[in-house]
Amino acid sequence: MNQESDRGLNKSSTKNFEAMRKFSETYAKRTGTFFCSDPSITSAVIEGLAKHKDDLGAPLCPCRYYEDKEAEVQNTYWNCPCVPMRERKECHCMLFLTADNPFAGDKQDLEIQDVVYE
């Protein structure tokens, strides 16, 4: 189902994209983690979190499959930052990476990449 927002087809609202961008930058700095060396991955994950915030009211991890997204939001386990990230600094989405991760870049601020969603 294609949906249009103020930012384009199948994209989140500007409000929630900016909220998730600011959250991600602050959280990376606070936890000493870094964004992926490929900025398009970081942009896509933040976009997914913001889209879930638009659609579900919470930043549910966009990198997993859920039988029932609404139930998962209520459960809170996979709401960003998810329990594995908070407990062990393990981010399935590759949004928050430890310095020793081979995919980690050196940035904690988002380089916005335009990702097209069809």
Side-chain angles (χ1 to χ4, degrees):
M1 177 167 99
N2 293 339
Q3 294 178 329
E4 188 90 24
S5 80
D6 61 331
R7 294 182 51 246
L9 187 63
N10 292 325
K11 291 195 175 187
S12 65
S13 67
T14 298
K15 175 186 171 191
N16 281 329
F17 183 84
E18 283 303 306
M20 293 314 305
R21 179 188 63 78
K22 289 176 186 172
F23 158 77
S24 298
E25 291 174 347
T26 300
Y27 191 79
K29 292 170 186 166
R30 193 174 80 221
T31 59
T33 56
F34 298 90
F35 294 146
C36 185
S37 57
D38 179 347
S40 69
I41 290 174
T42 304
S43 289
V45 173
I46 291 173
E47 183 71 50
L49 290 168
K51 186 82 170 104
H52 277 164
K53 198 161 170 58
D54 284 342
D55 297 344
L56 304 167
L60 184 65
C61 173
C63 302
R64 306 187 70 80
Y65 172 77
Y66 308 98
E67 289 286 330
D68 183 343
K69 289 182 181 182
E70 288 82 10
E72 291 295 340
V73 165
Q74 295 304 312
N75 184 27
T76 73
Y77 188 89
W78 293 114
N79 292 347
C80 189
C82 65
V83 171
M85 180 61 206
R86 291 188 307 245
E87 291 181 353
R88 299 181 301 279
K89 290 191 178 178
E90 294 175 2
C91 180
H92 176 78
C93 292
M94 295 179 38
L95 179 57
F96 304 113
L97 300 171
T98 55
D100 62 341
N101 187 303
F103 297 101
D106 59 359
K107 301 217 181 326
Q108 294 174 314
D109 292 303
L110 178 63
E111 278 181 52
I112 296 177
Q113 302 287 308
D114 189 31
V115 181
V116 177
Y117 300 97
E118 296 179 12

